[in-house]
Amino acid sequence: MDLTKIQDPSFLKDLSINELEQLSADIRDFLINVTSRTGGHIGPNLGVVELTVALHKVFNSPNDKFIWDVGHQSYVHKILTGRTNQFETLKKYKGLSGFPKRNESEHDVWETGHSSTSLSAAMGMAVARDLKGTDEYILPIIGDGALTGGMALEALNHIGHEKTDMIVILNDNEMSIAPNVGALHNILGKLRTAGKYQWAKDELEYILKKIPAVGGKLAAAAERIKDSMKYLLVTGVFFEELGYTYLGPVDGHNYEDLIENLLYAKKTKGPVLVHVITKKGKGYHPAESDRIGTWHGPGPYKIESGDFIKPASAPPAWSKVISETVRKIAREDKRVVAITPAMTVGSKLEGFGEEFPERLFDVGIAEQHAVTMAAGLATQGMKPFLAIYSTFLQRGYDQVVHDVCRQNLNVFFGIDRAGLVGADGETHQGVFDISFMRHVPNMVLMMPKDENEGQHMVYTAVKYDHGPIALRYPRGNGLGVTMDEDLKEIPIGSWEVLREGTDIAILTFGTTIPMAIEAADRLQEEGLSVKVVNARFIKPFDEGLLRGLLDQDMPILTIEEAMLQGGFGSAILEYANDHGYYQSKIDRIGIPDQFIEHGSVNELLEEIDLTVEATVTRAKLILNKKQQRA
Ligand SMILES: Cc1ncc(C[n+]2csc(CCOP(=O)(O)OP(=O)(O)O)c2C)c(N)n1
């Protein structure tokens, strides 16, 4: 079938099972083909082809609401809702988003990127429906990984209590990004192998109804038998006890099974949970056989061999440098343990886990728990290293404030993917952490200029025993600098002058340092002398150095790949104001008050004027203003 002709999912209503199967094959071919060029979440999407088609056949989107948890598995939904033509631009600048987007289609009723929000959103939509008196179906579609998130469990609890009408589709492929973890995962395992529960229960009720009624006693006994039979039929009745009608396990690659169960769910009152078993990567061997998570969301690849297309040689990834340094130190320092909220592979902690299996904890998609667990470890004299993406640390904000900082505990935060991350877009940019970390008392916040300084910062953080300390590092690879053999401590709060100058000072850190140096070169060609400072400690900062600049009345330009509001530049302005430097010329370059969409990091930097050219222009502007003032 020509997928580009699809306008909306209504055509599915007339298709036979055979035709649906042919359509699935066409969708898989298309997905493999296009993502081999664009990259993207191929594994999760190959796993939900039949499920998505069946949902669109049985229900009527957009009147019925499909709420994709995480949203990375919404490609098939995008194809069926008329967006096939845009796939060549997947995750590219101004192109098709890798996640549901309300401005892309009326079928995208809920935007995501972060996990475990679908059930709460569904509850809100269901309550609105009931208050308004309409009758649409509400369908959150959540993976077994996302179900480990605390927020999902909070909503599951509430929905079961309220007995709200909704159909929860649990897409169970036994994988989060890597194999899923946790006790709940084990319960699902038992359900998977227990056979069809609801059908068996219905048959049992039918038999019991045939027993002649001979008075109340027998009826009560029959009820009791029914209840205990429940426990015989399935080893765990977790969802039933929570208040849901459990349907499953359903073969998520079999249309008959899927459609039959979805139709049954449709006529069932109250919350229903349809337990659908799928295979991540279904239909493409390299992705199907992946047990680590490399096919969860890879870049471009060669279809025949399944080899990823990567530059021949690249400096080591930032995550690898940081996690491997923690591993090295852990050999000597037995206090060191590592925690990851479901990102072992992304945070490059596999090596640590191999060497210290009893000291690595994958806690599932549970950022809040991860932060407070780290705090608990620290109370007992351990040195927890919590590797967490900047964007996902947002989930653990109260835990950072209330549990870690307030008690001033020695937790070492590795804030991975700090700064713009590019293709994953708005939901994943790591641009808020400075604003929500630097204002919390006791927190130390730093970012290295290169991976050599990065390894010394890891050492500094492990040695630091005066409270929480956070090390930000970006997505992608280091600069390829020479690494020192011996690790050393960097004095907390110290900045480093990278280049002397007398006309203006640029204060910056991390990824924007090369930009500042290049701008300084250009300005020098125009006869201006620029001092460039590696402001590697964002908090506490080098007050001595800063005060020196302010005392000399040196104009200051701050640059940060992070939100301007509440950011590093704000800290400098606050300092100047609080210390009476009211006349100082201070200007800031950073991310304006807006969400930054997907695209390559360079395109995004251009869009927001975080470039060498902008730095040169702004520096000259400050100098002009200063001359005018003089
Ligand atoms: C709050 C949060 N933490 C971590 C992630 C990173 N992440 C994206 S998808 C994913 C695994 C989701 O597993 P599952 O829900 O089972 O979906 P599957 O990919 O297996 O279909 C993780 C951990 C995220 N998106 N949001």
Side-chain angles (χ1 to χ4, degrees):
M1 172 174 189
D2 182 355
L3 303 179
T4 61
K5 297 266 168 10
I6 299 174
Q7 305 272 325
D8 63 60
S10 55
F11 74 101
L12 291 171
K13 307 284 177 216
D14 303 325
L15 297 195
S16 66
I17 300 283
N18 276 347
E19 287 167 326
L20 293 177
E21 276 163 2
Q22 184 51 50
L23 173 67
S24 310
D26 293 342
I27 291 176
R28 283 206 168 85
D29 280 351
F30 173 77
L31 283 175
I32 295 166
N33 225 292
V34 78
T35 59
S36 73
R37 291 186 296 281
T38 59
H41 285 104
I42 183 65
N45 280 287
L46 289 175
V48 296
V49 175
E50 289 82 7
L51 173 60
T52 312
V53 170
L55 282 168
H56 274 294
K57 182 173 173 68
V58 173
F59 295 92
N60 292 313
S61 170
N63 187 44
D64 296 332
K65 312 291 177 220
F66 293 3
I67 305 159
W68 300 96
D69 205 289
V70 185
H72 63 312
Q73 78 294 50
S74 59
Y75 298 2
V76 187
H77 166 79
K78 292 197 184 208
I79 292 171
L80 296 176
T81 52
R83 285 171 270 177
T84 309
N85 281 323
Q86 298 168 49
F87 264 83
E88 285 301 333
T89 68
L90 181 67
K91 297 174 109 184
K92 296 206 166 71
Y93 188 58
K94 304 280 182 211
L96 191 69
S97 167
F99 297 94
K101 277 272 164 287
R102 276 143 56 98
N103 65 7
E104 258 181 30
S105 164
E106 59 176 348
H107 295 272
D108 292 6
V109 297
W110 181 251
E111 296 191 3
T112 37
H114 285 198
S115 128
S116 318
T117 64
S118 63
L119 298 180
S120 303
M123 184 58 172
M125 291 183 200
V127 168
R129 171 200 60 199
D130 296 344
L131 290 174
K132 289 195 288 187
T134 51
D135 60 1
E136 64 273 19
Y137 290 94
I138 308 289
L139 295 127
I141 303 135
I142 183 164
D144 55 308
L147 194 67
T148 63
M151 209 180 149
L153 298 176
E154 289 169 29
L156 205 62
N157 185 38
H158 183 210
I159 296 163
H161 172 72
E162 297 281 348
K163 297 258 169 267
T164 311
D165 288 337
M166 107 172 33
I167 301 170
V168 178
I169 307 292
L170 172 57
N171 169 29
D172 181 4
N173 54 24
E174 298 186 59
M175 296 280 277
S176 191
I177 287 180
N180 202 3
V181 294
L184 191 54
H185 170 68
N186 298 339
I187 293 180
L188 293 182
K190 287 181 184 163
L191 290 175
R192 264 193 302 272
T193 49
K196 290 261 183 297
Y197 168 55
Q198 185 62 38
W199 303 118
K201 198 176 120 183
D202 280 359
E203 274 162 32
L204 179 70
E205 273 172 19
Y206 177 76
I207 295 164
L208 288 172
K209 276 197 197 115
K210 295 244 156 178
I211 298 174
V214 286
K217 266 195 183 156
L218 187 57
E223 268 310 303
R224 275 203 306 280
I225 296 172
K226 240 166 69 181
D227 272 355
S228 50
M229 283 300 279
K230 270 204 311 203
Y231 286 90
L232 288 177
L233 286 166
V234 277
T235 351
V237 282
F238 183 74
F239 294 109
E240 290 270 339
E241 293 297 331
L242 274 171
Y244 293 72
T245 299
Y246 172 84
L247 293 184
V250 177
D251 179 347
H253 302 299
N254 177 316
Y255 277 116
E256 269 115 4
D257 205 10
L258 276 167
I259 293 170
E260 185 178 24
N261 278 281
L262 291 177
L263 288 172
Y264 191 96
K266 228 174 164 174
K267 57 180 193 186
T268 308
K269 292 297 288 173
V272 182
L273 186 131
V274 188
H275 186 187
V276 182
I277 312 301
T278 62
K279 182 100 192 113
K280 212 162 174 166
K282 175 82 176 170
Y284 180 53
H285 180 68
E288 209 174 307
S289 54
D290 170 29
R291 295 304 298 158
I292 318 170
T294 35
W295 284 90
H296 176 81
Y301 55 93
K302 293 187 190 140
I303 299 177
E304 296 305 314
S305 60
D307 292 339
F308 297 121
I309 300 167
K310 284 201 168 136
S313 77
W318 269 103
S319 313
K320 183 141 191 164
V321 172
I322 302 301
S323 291
E324 284 294 297
T325 310
V326 174
R327 175 185 181 184
K328 189 165 152 186
I329 298 171
R331 287 184 194 131
E332 307 296 322
D333 191 336
K334 303 280 178 268
R335 301 173 307 154
V336 175
V337 293
I339 303 174
T340 170
M343 306 303 279
T344 309
V345 176
S347 290
K348 298 275 180 283
L349 279 164
E350 306 103 310
F352 186 102
E354 271 160 34
E355 192 168 343
F356 306 110
E358 71 298 342
R359 285 157 73 185
L360 172 68
F361 297 91
D362 177 353
V363 298
I365 307 179
E367 289 80 8
Q368 307 179 9
H369 164 61
V371 176
T372 302
M373 178 184 162
L377 278 158
T379 62
Q380 301 307 305
M382 304 300 280
K383 190 80 198 189
F385 167 64
L386 170 55
I388 186 163
Y389 288 19
S390 166
T391 188
F392 303 139
L393 181 56
Q394 288 164 204
R395 279 278 163 91
Y397 174 64
D398 181 57
Q399 289 71 12
V400 168
V401 177
H402 178 270
D403 299 325
V404 178
C405 291
R406 200 179 44 79
Q407 301 189 78
N408 201 28
L409 295 169
N410 294 330
V411 174
F412 170 17
F413 293 91
I415 308 184
D416 200 344
R417 273 48 167 195
L420 294 171
V421 297
D424 279 337
E426 275 174 293
T427 53
H428 283 62
Q429 313 288 13
V431 296
F432 300 104
D433 63 271
I434 295 181
S435 308
F436 72 74
M437 294 288 269
R438 86 165 175 86
H439 63 196
V440 191
N442 295 331
M443 180 58 78
V444 173
L445 191 53
M446 56 190 172
M447 187 167 194
K449 67 172 187 285
D450 57 36
E451 60 272 34
N452 189 37
E453 193 168 65
Q455 64 164 349
H456 295 313
M457 282 188 173
V458 172
Y459 186 70
T460 307
V462 177
K463 289 277 161 207
Y464 181 73
D465 275 338
H466 304 287
I469 185 161
L471 166 57
R472 310 178 80 232
Y473 44 100
R475 182 174 183 274
N477 301 324
L479 305 180
V481 299
T482 312
M483 301 293 275
D484 295 337
E485 274 297 312
D486 295 325
L487 297 174
K488 62 173 189 221
E489 278 183 75
I490 300 176
I492 300 289
S494 66
W495 287 350
E496 178 195 30
V497 176
L498 296 174
R499 176 185 179 126
E500 283 297 353
T502 49
D503 292 322
I504 183 168
I506 298 180
L507 310 183
T508 189
F509 51 88
T511 45
T512 42
I513 286 181
M515 185 187 298
I517 303 266
E518 204 181 322
D521 284 342
R522 296 240 199 122
L523 287 160
Q524 186 159 348
E525 282 163 21
E526 298 184 32
L528 293 167
S529 163
V530 183
K531 184 173 184 130
V532 179
V533 177
N534 170 17
R536 57 195 175 189
F537 282 90
I538 297 154
K539 183 193 179 182
F541 52 64
D542 196 325
E543 285 194 26
L545 204 157
L546 179 61
R547 201 179 265 273
L549 298 175
L550 293 166
D551 283 339
Q552 289 168 52
D553 204 17
M554 175 98 91
I556 292 173
L557 180 61
T558 64
I559 310 179
E560 59 200 303
E561 196 183 304
M563 295 309 285
L564 281 170
Q565 258 95 343
F568 168 72
S570 293
I572 303 302
L573 284 173
E574 285 162 17
Y575 183 91
N577 185 74
D578 294 350
H579 293 81
Y581 295 99
Y582 304 119
Q583 295 298 313
S584 305
K585 281 277 156 260
I586 301 172
D587 202 359
R588 301 174 298 151
I589 299 183
I591 301 183
D593 190 11
Q594 72 189 64
F595 288 100
I596 309 296
E597 292 200 346
H598 49 284
S600 75
V601 171
N602 281 339
E603 285 163 330
L604 300 176
L605 290 172
E606 284 279 341
E607 180 187 288
I608 55 177
D609 256 354
L610 203 50
T611 56
V612 173
E613 289 69 35
T615 307
V616 169
T617 312
R618 294 284 280 275
K620 288 201 241 169
L621 217 64
I622 313 178
L623 287 167
N624 280 344
K625 277 191 202 154
K626 191 185 170 210
Q627 273 158 12
Q628 279 164 18
R629 204 185 77 205

